[in-house]
Amino acid sequence: MLRKWMVFALSAGLLVTLAGVGFSGDDDESPLEKVMEKVNKANAKIKQGVRNPANFRKKQKEVAEKSKELVKLAKESKPMKDALDKAKNEAKPQEKWNTLMDAFIEKSEKLSEVANKPSPDYDATKKAFSAVSKTCADCHNVFRVEDENF
Ligand code: HEC
């Protein structure tokens, strides 16, 4: 009887320990991953806002704000070196990274400029956003990001 109880207590303890390990696993995210999550959130809001002219009329302000945030996040992520060893077939990952990040920063700045005009133009904003999206994909292709959800 006592032994049965001990086995139970031990395995319960083990489960708690395993759950704890699972949780702390989330804290292993690289700084770049954390910024990318914010990038992704801002990106999703902008995407929604430029989906059609009716959305844009309602969400103009949010699109403008999130575009500014995107510029900030892009600049924040440029100095991060987490991903440099993930580049495939790149002789000079750091240079490639800088080029791709500069494109991301530049296109985000352009988007922010267009979206933050006193009366922003829908077509111009949508076009500027497409240019930003391309820079996301260009970089993820080189640095082999698996997630397909953006
Ligand atoms: C210059 C390179 C670069 C650009 C530009 C870039 N990313 Fe990323 N992104 C990465 C890398 C590298 C990772 C993988 C980070 C890791 O796993 O450590 C990543 C990861 C992600 C992730 C997964 C985050 C997670 O929790 O694992 C999302 C979502 C994402 N990026 C969205 C975007 C969006 C949206 C854009 C454009 C608006 C963008 N990224 C632009 C390099 C880039």
Side-chain angles (χ1 to χ4, degrees), residues 38-52 54-71 73 108 111-118 120 125 129:
K38 291 187 201 162
V39 166
N40 199 39
K41 275 189 193 142
N43 187 69
K45 290 287 182 197
I46 300 169
K47 195 174 183 174
Q48 248 175 30
V50 300
R51 185 164 296 149
N52 54 49
N55 273 21
F56 191 58
R57 268 193 299 278
K58 272 182 280 175
K59 305 199 176 205
Q60 246 173 48
K61 233 182 130 208
E62 192 175 22
V63 170
E65 276 164 18
K66 295 295 166 186
S67 303
K68 262 193 205 163
E69 194 184 325
L70 210 53
V71 174
L73 294 168
S108 305
L111 169 65
S112 178
E113 191 190 309
V114 173
N116 279 286
K117 282 188 175 164
T125 309
F129 177 64

Side-chain angles (χ1 to χ4, degrees), residues 94-112:
Q94 179 72 72
E95 278 175 30
K96 189 71 186 172
W97 179 262
N98 288 347
T99 307
L100 290 163
M101 269 295 165
D102 286 342
F104 180 31
I105 293 169
E106 191 201 314
K107 298 298 178 189
S108 305
E109 279 174 338
K110 177 79 192 156
L111 169 65
S112 178

Side-chain angles (χ1 to χ4, degrees), residues 17 30 74 77 101 104 115 128 138:
T17 310
S30 66
S77 48
M101 269 295 165
F104 180 31
D138 285 349

Side-chain angles (χ1 to χ4, degrees), residues 10 23-24 28 31 46 48-49 62 76 78 105 116 133 149:
L10 277 174
F23 265 115
S24 63
D28 286 351
I46 300 169
Q48 248 175 30
E62 192 175 22
E76 230 173 86
K78 187 179 173 188
I105 293 169
N116 279 286
S133 302
N149 286 327

Side-chain angles (χ1 to χ4, degrees), residues 8 29 55 61 76 88 92 108 123 131 139:
F8 173 76
E29 281 190 328
N55 273 21
K61 233 182 130 208
E76 230 173 86
K88 301 248 164 69
K92 295 176 175 153
S108 305
D123 289 326
C139 183

